[in-house]
Amino acid sequence: MEKYIFLAIVALIIFAPGIAWRLYQRYRYSESIKDFVSKPFVCPNCGHRFYTKQKIIHPLGENKALLKCPNCGKRDICGRPYDFDKN
């Protein structure tokens, strides 16, 4: 019995840092996505300015993402508006 307790403690010591690191990475990724979608996008097809509510997005750079426009329903690469003030 003592052997199994020792092995459980060793396994916990070995695997706990990896699990903690993965949780930290997921947290940082979710925070960066929240920051990314908090700014408006513009549809290149209809010119509609919108904030996305999509759960899964595909960023294609700092200011562009593959999104579906809520106005026209087309999926395209949407960018930030030209008159967007970052302040």
Side-chain angles (χ1 to χ4, degrees):
M1 184 70 175
E2 294 171 1
K3 179 181 176 182
Y4 293 116
I5 293 173
F6 176 73
L7 289 176
I9 292 172
V10 169
L12 184 63
I13 291 171
I14 291 173
F15 293 119
I19 293 169
W21 178 249
R22 287 181 188 221
L23 288 173
Y24 174 72
Q25 285 178 325
R26 283 191 175 223
Y27 170 75
R28 290 292 304 242
Y29 178 74
S30 67
E31 289 296 315
S32 67
I33 292 297
K34 284 180 190 176
D35 182 50
F36 185 73
V37 299
S38 67
K39 301 172 190 113
F41 290 95
V42 172
C43 177
N45 299 313
C46 66
H48 179 66
R49 184 181 295 215
F50 63 95
Y51 290 90
T52 183
K53 301 266 191 246
Q54 297 177 15
K55 301 290 183 192
I56 299 173
I57 63 167
H58 304 286
L60 299 174
E62 186 177 330
N63 293 323
K64 294 184 180 182
L66 182 63
L67 299 171
K68 183 176 181 180
C69 176
N71 189 36
C72 65
K74 294 182 181 178
R75 185 173 299 276
D76 205 349
I77 298 173
C78 300
R80 303 281 184 214
Y82 68 92
D83 60 350
F84 174 66
D85 186 17
K86 293 185 180 182
N87 294 332

